[in-house]
Amino acid sequence: MAGYFRGPPPAGGRPPQGEPPRGGRPARPGSPGWTNQPRNPLPGHGGRPLPPPSPPQQPPGAPPARGGRGPLRKPPPGRAAGAPPPTRAAAPPRGPVMPRPAGAGAGGAGAGVHPASQAPRDGRVTRGPSMPDWRRLRRATRGRWKAVLILLLVAFVGFGVYLDQNMTRVQALPADSQASSSGTNYLIVGSDSREGLSAEDEERLATGDAAGRRTDTIMLLHTGSSGSVLVSIPRDSFLPIPGRGSNKVNAAFALGGPELLVETVEGATGLRIDHYVEVGFGGFVGAVDAVGGVDMCVSSAIDDPKAGLDIQAGCQELDGTTALGYVRTRATPGSDFDRVQRQREFLSALLGKATSPLTLINPFRMVPLASAVTGTITVDDSDHIWNLAGLAWGMKGVSGGDGVQTTVPIGGSAGGSNLRWDRTRAQALFGALQNDQAPPESGFGP
């Protein structure tokens, strides 16, 4: 046939352009070996038309593909063409069987549906069950703790306001006082007032039934930059009493009450009294019992029926009744000097325990303690609950060993049981306190 190359095929097995496939018949349009020949050959090819594309490589002996779907396969024997393939029994699972999703199973809403097919189709990433969000839990816990602390703070402030309103107040500090000094000075008075005690209490505490108020304990606490200094003033100190001549210092309290007593102490010491605190028998006993007793080391046995005291030597815990007799008794060789020393030691131990963390965080001790003290305490009309907190803090410094405990220096007797101060040594003691300085040891008494 004219136009066909009759010679051997070139290297590579591709027939030359325009040669029909082997078999002597030209390719039909649409068959793999057919291609449209361009009418005008592209320039740069020597005037020859472009070669047809290479036919897809087929395995030897395979029939040509139809429509690009690959070679046809005959159905297996025993099955007609177009019949569905037979079902195959499911193989037993290898390993542990995973639980089905809820609702899966025959007739269920999610029967035969894999959980992965239920994932959202909008690009979101879903997560399965995870551990708790500890940051969120910690944030919620912190919020609860803040609420609890706020409630406790409100309750604490409310309780403080309640105690402040229940304190008994009197006019104790003179309005026309001429004394001046640095630091802060508290006058602490232990009164023998029986107010609030029943007949049974008076008999149990051996206080008697005397009317009126007298003072068995007078102490001055100075706080400032020089530390805390606690000074005992013996009740038999013979001092000038404004408008009453000279007498025992406790007579000023009996004659003119707290205000005359403050005037007498200011005139004798030269110190300005800033706060006044008076505690009766009932408040003292209630405070000791509220803190669960106070540990004291007694140097010798004391038996004093007048004070209702019968105590053995040694370290022991004193309850309220025993403690009251312990600080009141004078049945020792040193009489009043021994008593003022016991009073200082016991008061320091009492306030040290009352301000300890175990007492402050224990409501079963703190509430009865505050109620007992404020229910029977008397302060100046300008004093408040925070002034008592300052007193307790100053006493804690004394009981902790950082402060000084002493007695007014005594120079001898002024007749009878009256005691006369050593003016030189007393001036050294109170002069240092007036300037808020540490007192010299030469000013320590008695």
Side-chain angles (χ1 to χ4, degrees):
M1 184 179 296
Y4 289 93
F5 179 73
R6 301 288 184 180
R14 177 181 298 179
Q17 184 174 357
E19 182 178 355
R22 298 187 180 214
R25 306 176 75 180
R28 293 177 298 175
S31 63
W34 181 86
T35 179
N36 291 327
Q37 299 295 333
R39 294 182 180 179
N40 299 322
L42 296 176
H45 288 75
R48 292 180 291 111
L50 294 176
S54 302
Q57 301 294 328
Q58 301 290 344
R66 297 183 179 180
R69 299 177 58 183
L72 297 177
R73 292 183 300 175
K74 294 182 180 181
R79 192 177 71 184
T87 58
R88 182 167 33 175
R94 298 180 180 179
V97 180
M98 300 298 293
R100 287 187 177 184
V113 180
H114 194 275
S117 65
Q118 300 178 358
R121 302 300 183 184
D122 54 358
R124 293 176 297 166
V125 179
T126 59
R127 296 180 180 178
S130 60
M131 296 297 291
D133 191 343
W134 295 112
R135 290 179 296 180
R136 187 187 314 161
L137 180 61
R138 185 168 61 250
R139 192 181 304 114
T141 305
R142 189 184 302 117
R144 294 191 186 99
W145 274 112
K146 288 182 179 179
V148 171
L149 291 177
I150 292 175
L151 290 177
L152 290 177
L153 180 61
V154 171
F156 179 78
V157 173
F159 184 62
V161 172
Y162 168 78
L163 295 177
D164 186 73
Q165 293 178 350
N166 282 348
M167 290 192 300
T168 303
R169 291 179 169 85
V170 296
Q171 179 65 38
L173 303 181
D176 56 349
S177 175
Q178 301 298 322
S180 63
S181 58
S182 301
T184 304
N185 299 305
Y186 297 83
L187 186 63
I188 307 169
V189 175
S191 171
D192 64 355
S193 173
R194 281 83 172 167
E195 184 178 357
L197 298 180
S198 63
E200 291 78 8
D201 292 335
E202 293 176 353
E203 182 179 358
R204 177 175 57 88
L205 300 176
T207 60
D209 55 358
R213 291 187 305 171
R214 285 165 296 276
T215 175
D216 289 336
T217 304
I218 303 174
M219 287 184 286
L220 190 148
L221 174 66
H222 173 85
T223 62
S225 59
S226 60
S228 298
V229 180
L230 183 63
V231 182
S232 294
I233 301 176
R235 70 170 191 173
D236 293 335
S237 299
F238 195 75
L239 300 174
I241 300 176
R244 304 286 182 158
S246 294
N247 205 335
K248 293 181 180 180
V249 66
N250 66 340
F253 186 81
L255 295 173
E259 188 171 3
L260 184 58
L261 176 62
V262 172
E263 290 181 5
T264 303
V265 173
E266 285 186 345
T269 62
L271 300 176
R272 180 183 179 87
I273 303 301
D274 301 294
H275 305 286
Y276 174 84
V277 179
E278 177 187 336
V279 183
F281 284 161
F284 180 84
V285 174
V288 175
D289 290 336
V291 298
V294 177
D295 295 328
M296 294 296 297
C297 291
V298 182
S299 58
S300 59
I302 305 174
D303 185 10
D304 184 5
K306 293 182 178 180
L309 180 65
D310 185 5
I311 189 174
Q312 301 299 319
C315 296
Q316 54 199 293
E317 185 180 81
L318 305 183
D319 59 9
T321 303
T322 306
L324 180 60
Y326 180 74
V327 299
R328 290 182 60 212
T329 183
R330 301 172 71 178
T332 55
S335 186
D336 198 48
F337 295 110
D338 290 345
R339 179 168 69 170
V340 295
Q341 182 177 355
R342 289 193 300 269
Q343 290 172 351
R344 289 196 309 268
E345 294 174 351
F346 188 87
L347 184 60
S348 299
L350 172 60
L351 291 181
K353 188 172 183 179
T355 55
S356 66
L358 294 179
T359 301
L360 296 177
I361 66 176
N362 187 351
F364 297 101
R365 285 189 175 182
M366 188 60 191
V367 174
L369 171 64
S371 301
V373 172
T374 58
T376 57
I377 199 171
T378 302
V379 297
D380 182 67
D381 53 9
S382 63
D383 289 329
H384 296 280
I385 191 69
W386 50 86
N387 299 126
L388 293 182
L391 169 66
W393 186 261
M395 291 296 298
K396 186 176 182 180
V398 174
S399 62
D402 297 332
V404 175
Q405 301 185 44
T406 186
T407 305
V408 175
I410 302 298
S413 174
S417 60
N418 299 328
L419 298 177
R420 179 174 48 84
W421 288 5
D422 186 332
R423 288 296 174 182
T424 303
R425 296 167 58 200
Q427 181 60 36
L429 171 64
F430 295 117
L433 298 181
Q434 191 173 17
N435 296 320
D436 196 17
Q437 298 175 354
E441 293 186 5
S442 61
F444 295 168

